[in-house]
Amino acid sequence: MQRDWTDIFGGLALALIGAGAAGWASLHYDLGSLRQMGPGAFPVGLGLLLAVIGLIVAVPALRRAGEAVPVEPWSALAVLASILVFGFGLRSLGLVIAAYLGVLVASLPAPRRGVTWRLMLAGVVTLLTVLVFRTGLQMSLPLWPVWI
Amino acid sequence: MGTWEGLVTGLNFALQPGVLIFCLLGVLLGTFVGVLPGIGAMAAISLLLPITYYISAEAALIMLAGVYYGAQYGGAVASILMRLPGTPQSAVTALDGYPMARDGRAGAALFAAMVSSFAGSIIGIVVLVLLAGWLSRVAVAFGAADYAAMMVLGLVAASTIGSARPAKGFAMIVLGMLLGCIGTDVNSGAMRFTFGQTELLDGVNLVALAMGLFGVAEVIGNVRDPERQAVTEKIGFRQMAPTRDDLRRMVFPSLRGSGLGSFFGALPGTGSTLSSFLSYAMERRIARRPERFGHGAIEGVAGPEAANNSAAITAFVPTLTLGIPGDPIMALMLGALVIHGVQPGPMMLEARPEMFWGLVASFGIGNLLLLILNLPLIGVWVALLRIPFRWLYPAILIFICLGVYSVRGLTYDIVAVAGIGLAGYLLALARFNPALLLLGFVLGPLIETNLRRALLISRGDPMVFLERPISAAFVVAIAGLLLLSLVQWVRRRRRAIPAR
Amino acid sequence: MTTHIPRRAAFGCVLAFAAAPAFAQDAWPTGPLHVYVGFPAGSSPDTLARIITEPLAERLGQPVVIENRPGAGGVIGIQQMLANAGDDDLTFGTTINGPVTTAARMMGDTGFDVAADIAPVTLIATSPLVLAVSSQSGLEDLEGFVAAAGAEEEAIAYGSVGQGSGAHLTAELFADEAGVTMLHIPFTSYAEVTTSIMGGEIDAGFMAPSAAMPHVEGGNMRILGITSSEPSAQAPDVPVIAGQAGFAEDFRAELWNGFIAPSGTDAAVVERLTTEITEILADPGVQEQLLAIGWQAAPGTAQEMQERITADTQMWGGVIDRIEAQ
């Protein structure tokens, strides 16, 4: 039988997060009293609650059929890489190069072959970005690398 | 000055060409930045501040206010078309607006959002004019215990939103509240879950959270989706325009949403978020077929949009009548007045009546301008959907990054978006509702702070929640709502048992 | 209420452009100056920075770009100033007292060492706090307040803008000098404190005069005293706390705002800026603009600012010691 793996893993992951947060909070933050609740009271309470709810999500799913979920690891990788390239490039490489590279990386998993359209798209998006955020909104961003 | 006389003075003032132009400029810029992912009213207003030094205080306030409510219109566009909400209230709009757009009914969704926004604003203005004095007294009477009880009511009411399995909805709210604990604890000053990172001291950046959970997650899921590659069929006027049935379904949700928004908006804090979630939850609860919600129910767009726009108007009540800004954006606008030597406060209405009434009149004019400008634009916005997704999404990503960066100017926040985006994608795969996470994130810290504050003020007496009449009323409502859910659950159980 | 975390937007805006290259013969400044402000655009410290840098840009013949990096009570602004400083001496900052006096005590690690990393340029302005109560309360003057607070432990609940904020520390200093204990209720903004006082939920609060005065005029609040050593121009009728109700003659608690540079900045550049800003602050127009947002111009030398940092670090450190001991 194809079990409802998403709810099993999802629920268990949440339960772990909850238990972890409650554990960390109870070790590091004061619980306080009813009159003067400490910084630990809420995180511990919420963490335990999340652990319980996570189990409530996961346990019934063990005996239930579920459907397979289509995962797109390459899309995720490219999108995240694109954000990081842009983020780290922004201050050092400047808006133009960071945006150009960011778009190129992001477009890698797009379901169409060819290099030309990617290069052109990156150019157009970069131009738009500069126009909207630098020229229009006057954000204080370096356009070009620091060393130029 | 009487109400009527005041309105006439206000209209005369706001219709002067020199003032009207700033109103128009404000709403245009507001719409524009509202559409950009992550750049909200806050960013646009800070951007315009230096300009306001050179114009009159009244014109400055009218322009900034225009940006403020104009951004709400723009925010709805981004949430409906691309599922890119920059604020928790537009996240509510995305719940049904985005499925409508995916269903080829983007035009109808945008129409519903705009018309009910307009209706909400107008009702908000009427409430502002007639009930400002009363609302401001209510706002002052609200204490910590009352806020805590009200926010809990909001969470309980909203927890049923859009999930086939209630436990999964609860899980998102609690996870959101837990994320809300990150940062400096208001009551004790303790730094929680910051792991030595100064960037986390003020908590997770809300814009980064919203953009990661919604925008980035949505992009990842759709990059290779064949359905998103080319919308080749021509979208005619027929698909764009709302049907007669749509119109009928919009009326009462808009009115109810406006009522909720007008009331909660006047309370300092987070009236706008709370009222849009409440409006959505209410429409879903009273709908004959609640299962339509989340799959493109027009009521789920009309109600919350009316609510957040009327809340945006009545949010000015404490600011104008008491000189107490209800949220950071209001504080920013008051700051602009101070620079002009206008001391905002209870005396302002008497000292500068043209400012109060001019602003009120400009709300009406500005919203009318927004409606007139935006209705024809629906066609243009919908045409955006015809751009192949492979051209669109890299631009969306870059815009998200810059929107998030605009909040604090920290690379840290862009990196955070990547992490949150991955988490959001996983949550979406497992069918968890990110809107509820956002709600928990916004309301959680408010509940914690106010609950602890209430107990501190009462010197540790929990009866404070029942002794204060406002709080007691909310507690009764919470109990009633829980009881109602229990009864419904038992009934469903009973019906289910014989079926086995 | 609470907008618990002000996630405000921050843009750097080019404030003013040079009219004429008046100092073209000087090597410095070779380009636009970047001034880091640890508070969001539109906030009081941001407006203060803009009031000062606009004439500064004119005098230096180079634009001054305000870089808003809000967060952690102003600490992030200083971190970012230090992180982005090049060797061209064009990166500076303005800061309130907190990040350079009490932050290290409150946070443990701020990521910078005030003594080693920061070169003071000059103080810009100071702001006292006022003790505000509701006009509905029976608290009429400072003697009455101290008597009421002393009646029993924690008889008075007061609001502040956060644990370790200037308002909180000032109130604790006040309580210590008066020999009373008060119940501290932390809020996040003066707007919240005001609402809570007006609603009768808490009894009092130390507030910025600019936040309290409108409500005094509106008849909702009463002010019992001010923490400066002389009556302030913003609240001329309010008596100083010093010398009253058993308080020492030298009782004084002020917040301040100053101009800073990363250490290692050329001494001549620092000196030039000290001179320019002192001259700017001598302009009555500038003084009036500052007063409108709650700041009293208070120029001085870099040395004086250094002394102020040392003295305040010690004074507030003592207050924090006592709070922690409780």
Side-chain angles (χ1 to χ4, degrees):
Chain A
M1 187 178 78
Q2 169 71 39
R3 292 231 172 89
D4 194 349
W5 289 115
T6 49
D7 272 17
I8 296 173
F9 283 127
L12 285 181
L14 290 177
L16 274 180
I17 292 173
W24 173 273
S26 65
L27 285 179
H28 292 84
Y29 313 125
D30 184 22
L31 286 176
S33 59
L34 184 61
R35 170 173 183 176
Q36 180 114 40
M37 279 196 208
F42 258 70
V44 169
L46 290 171
L48 292 178
L49 190 60
L50 186 60
V52 172
I53 300 178
L55 291 179
I56 293 178
V57 171
V59 170
L62 285 170
R63 290 181 293 161
R64 184 172 61 212
E67 18 182 303
V69 185
V71 187
E72 295 279 354
W74 293 114
S75 302
L77 198 65
V79 165
L80 301 183
S82 150
I83 295 175
L84 293 178
V85 164
F86 180 75
F88 285 116
L90 187 57
R91 306 282 310 193
S92 52
L93 300 175
L95 183 59
V96 173
I97 296 177
Y100 198 89
L101 290 179
V103 174
L104 275 189
V105 174
S107 73
L108 286 177
R112 176 156 215 189
R113 287 154 189 274
V115 176
T116 329
W117 75 267
R118 287 184 163 85
L119 294 176
M120 280 173 63
L121 179 71
V124 172
V125 173
T126 304
L127 185 69
L128 262 177
T129 309
V130 172
L131 284 179
V132 170
F133 292 91
R134 242 324 270 263
T135 317
L137 294 177
Q138 298 265 308
M139 269 169 76
S140 156
L141 297 163
L143 267 190
W144 298 104
V146 209
W147 60 85
I148 292 189
Chain B
M1 198 183 288
T3 305
W4 194 243
E5 202 186 329
L7 273 179
V8 173
T9 316
L11 275 174
N12 274 332
F13 182 82
L15 283 172
Q16 296 171 70
V19 177
L20 196 59
I21 186 80
F22 285 108
C23 182
L24 181 68
L25 198 70
V27 297
L28 271 182
L29 192 77
T31 315
F32 173 67
V33 298
V35 171
L36 291 176
I39 300 214
M42 196 76 194
I45 290 177
S46 354
L47 180 77
L48 281 179
L49 269 181
I51 301 176
T52 63
Y53 299 166
Y54 305 103
I55 60 180
S56 80
E58 285 84 359
L61 187 62
I62 284 173
M63 176 168 74
L64 297 181
V67 173
Y68 178 57
Y69 53 77
Q72 309 251 14
Y73 280 71
V77 172
S79 330
I80 290 173
L81 294 180
M82 320 261 181
R83 201 168 183 255
L84 285 172
T87 58
Q89 53 276 37
S90 7
V92 182
T93 308
L95 286 177
D96 276 270
Y98 184 66
M100 279 180 82
R102 293 297 300 264
D103 215 22
R105 307 206 322 120
L110 289 173
F111 179 87
M114 278 158 195
V115 172
S116 45
S117 293
F118 179 72
S121 306
I122 298 300
I123 291 171
I125 295 169
V126 172
V127 170
L128 171 68
V129 169
L130 296 181
L131 300 177
W134 180 77
L135 280 173
S136 65
R137 280 194 296 280
V138 172
V140 171
F142 259 67
D146 309 319
Y147 276 110
M150 178 176 85
M151 305 287 175
V152 173
L153 174 67
L155 277 193
V156 171
S159 59
T160 51
I161 283 179
S163 173
R165 303 216 171 83
K168 293 175 84 169
F170 276 122
M172 282 303 98
I173 290 187
V174 177
L175 181 62
M177 292 175 78
L178 207 48
L179 285 175
C181 289
I182 296 175
T184 309
D185 172 34
V186 175
N187 289 71
S188 67
M191 293 169 276
R192 299 190 299 201
F193 304 110
T194 53
F195 308 105
Q197 296 175 70
T198 330
E199 292 87 348
L200 280 178
L201 283 184
D202 294 319
V204 177
N205 180 339
L206 173 69
V207 175
L209 189 66
M211 285 298 135
L213 287 179
F214 284 88
V216 176
E218 188 67 19
V219 166
I220 295 176
N222 282 311
V223 166
R224 299 180 64 83
D225 183 351
E227 265 181 51
R228 287 298 296 262
Q229 291 321 315
V231 185
T232 39
E233 79 266 36
K234 193 147 171 64
I235 302 166
F237 186 73
R238 274 197 176 274
Q239 284 130 296
M240 262 174 54
T243 62
R244 190 176 287 263
D245 185 47
D246 286 339
L247 290 175
R248 195 176 47 77
R249 284 174 188 279
M250 280 167 53
V251 177
F252 287 106
S254 297
L255 293 179
R256 285 188 289 260
S258 306
L260 284 173
S262 302
F263 178 74
F264 287 106
L267 302 175
T270 184
S272 173
T273 302
L274 197 62
S275 56
S276 25
F277 273 93
L278 279 179
S279 162
Y280 187 89
M282 183 169 167
E283 294 312 325
R284 188 171 188 269
R285 205 166 260 277
I286 62 178
R288 208 164 297 154
R289 288 172 50 219
E291 65 277 7
R292 289 190 306 118
F293 279 75
H295 303 285
I298 201 163
E299 299 94 321
V301 176
E305 273 300 307
N308 76 43
N309 282 276
S310 52
I313 301 289
T314 54
F316 282 88
V317 167
T319 314
L320 293 176
T321 58
L322 303 172
I324 300 173
D327 63 28
I329 300 186
M330 289 293 152
L332 203 55
M333 283 197 239
L334 278 190
L337 287 184
V338 173
I339 291 162
H340 282 277
V342 178
Q343 196 53 261
M347 309 305 286
M348 203 172 77
L349 217 167
E350 282 152 50
R352 318 258 316 216
E354 74 282 359
M355 174 164 281
F356 178 84
W357 291 108
L359 183 66
V360 170
S362 84
F363 288 155
I365 297 167
N367 274 286
L368 191 64
L369 286 175
L370 279 170
L371 191 68
I372 297 173
L373 288 168
N374 275 303
L375 281 183
L377 274 180
I378 289 181
V380 178
W381 295 128
V382 174
L384 264 184
L385 292 180
R386 298 181 59 197
I387 301 175
F389 193 65
R390 63 174 184 278
W391 295 357
L392 215 48
Y393 80 84
I396 291 177
L397 289 177
I398 301 296
F399 279 35
I400 285 176
C401 290
L402 284 169
V404 171
Y405 185 80
S406 77
V407 181
R408 303 197 292 177
L410 298 180
T411 306
Y412 185 92
D413 288 340
I414 303 186
V415 177
V417 164
I420 297 168
L422 180 63
Y425 177 59
L426 296 176
L427 286 175
L429 283 181
R431 303 244 164 79
F432 285 98
N433 189 337
L436 288 174
L437 194 160
L438 224 46
L439 181 72
F441 178 77
V442 172
L443 295 191
L446 294 176
I447 291 175
E448 179 182 8
T449 314
N450 281 295
L451 188 97
R452 287 166 64 183
R453 188 179 292 155
L455 287 170
L456 204 54
I457 292 172
S458 74
R459 273 76 169 171
D461 179 11
M463 288 308 286
V464 64
F465 294 101
L466 295 176
E467 280 160 6
R468 295 181 65 97
I470 304 176
S471 152
F474 284 122
V475 171
V476 169
I478 295 166
L481 210 56
L482 289 177
L483 205 66
L484 186 73
S485 304
L486 192 71
V487 169
Q488 282 175 339
W489 183 74
V490 170
R491 252 192 229 151
R492 229 175 297 139
R493 271 322 260 293
R494 275 216 195 118
R495 233 175 290 151
I497 290 164
R500 265 183 213 168
Chain C
M1 110 169 217
T2 27
T3 34
H4 149 87
I5 299 152
R7 295 176 185 84
R8 300 185 183 172
F11 277 102
C13 296
V14 177
L15 249 192
F17 289 94
F23 295 93
Q25 68 274 29
D26 288 344
W28 185 88
T30 48
L33 275 68
H34 292 260
V35 173
Y36 283 79
V37 178
F39 292 86
S43 63
S44 154
D46 168 75
T47 314
L48 176 140
R50 286 171 200 269
I51 291 172
I52 300 303
T53 50
E54 197 171 356
L56 187 64
E58 257 168 57
R59 286 161 167 265
L60 298 178
Q62 282 286 353
V64 177
V65 185
I66 298 282
E67 304 274 5
N68 297 100
R69 294 293 185 276
V75 167
I76 287 188
I78 298 182
Q79 287 179 345
Q80 290 287 311
M81 171 188 86
L82 296 172
N84 289 299
D87 39 19
D88 46 9
D89 290 348
L90 293 172
T91 307
F92 302 95
T94 65
T95 181
I96 60 165
N97 48 322
V100 288
T101 55
T102 54
R105 273 300 303 276
M106 306 293 303
M107 290 171 51
D109 180 21
T110 52
F112 57 84
D113 176 358
V114 177
D117 296 335
I118 296 171
V121 174
T122 174
L123 273 189
I124 299 171
T126 61
S127 169
L129 292 172
V130 292
L131 174 58
V133 296
S134 164
S135 53
Q136 309 285 314
S137 76
L139 305 164
E140 297 284 345
D141 54 21
L142 205 61
E143 278 83 22
F145 185 87
V146 172
E152 80 184 275
E153 208 147 272
E154 301 191 337
I156 294 278
Y158 74 93
S160 83
V161 288
Q163 193 79 24
S165 64
H168 174 211
L169 298 182
T170 301
E172 291 301 327
L173 181 70
F174 173 93
D176 188 57
E177 298 254 325
V180 298
T181 48
M182 302 192 288
L183 178 59
H184 175 220
I185 315 285
F187 289 82
T188 51
S189 69
Y190 285 125
E192 290 184 333
V193 176
T194 309
T195 321
S196 197
I197 290 178
M198 278 165 55
E201 208 180 19
I202 57 171
D203 305 295
F206 275 94
M207 296 175 62
S210 53
M213 287 316 283
H215 305 289
V216 175
E217 283 155 31
N220 293 318
M221 271 190 177
R222 194 179 299 136
I223 290 182
L224 305 182
I226 191 162
T227 62
S228 50
S229 45
E230 284 158 40
S232 153
Q234 283 179 284
D237 303 332
V238 174
V240 294
I241 290 173
Q244 265 204 87
F247 283 92
E249 288 291 341
D250 64 347
F251 180 86
R252 184 179 77 157
E254 279 174 336
L255 315 181
W256 46 261
N257 198 310
F259 203 91
I260 52 171
S263 40
T265 305
D266 193 333
V269 168
V270 171
E271 205 172 309
R272 167 86 186 276
L273 280 170
T274 310
T275 318
E276 297 288 355
I277 295 172
T278 307
E279 282 176 31
I280 289 168
L281 288 170
D283 176 0
V286 169
Q287 291 175 6
E288 207 169 302
Q289 275 179 295
L290 288 176
L291 210 53
I293 57 163
W295 293 100
Q296 180 109 39
T301 62
Q303 184 57 34
E304 282 165 351
M305 182 171 173
Q306 186 61 62
E307 284 160 13
R308 191 75 185 250
I309 292 175
T310 315
D312 277 12
T313 306
Q314 205 170 12
M315 174 173 86
W316 296 126
V319 176
I320 296 170
D321 285 339
R322 285 196 292 276
I323 295 172
E324 282 176 354
Q326 273 172 23

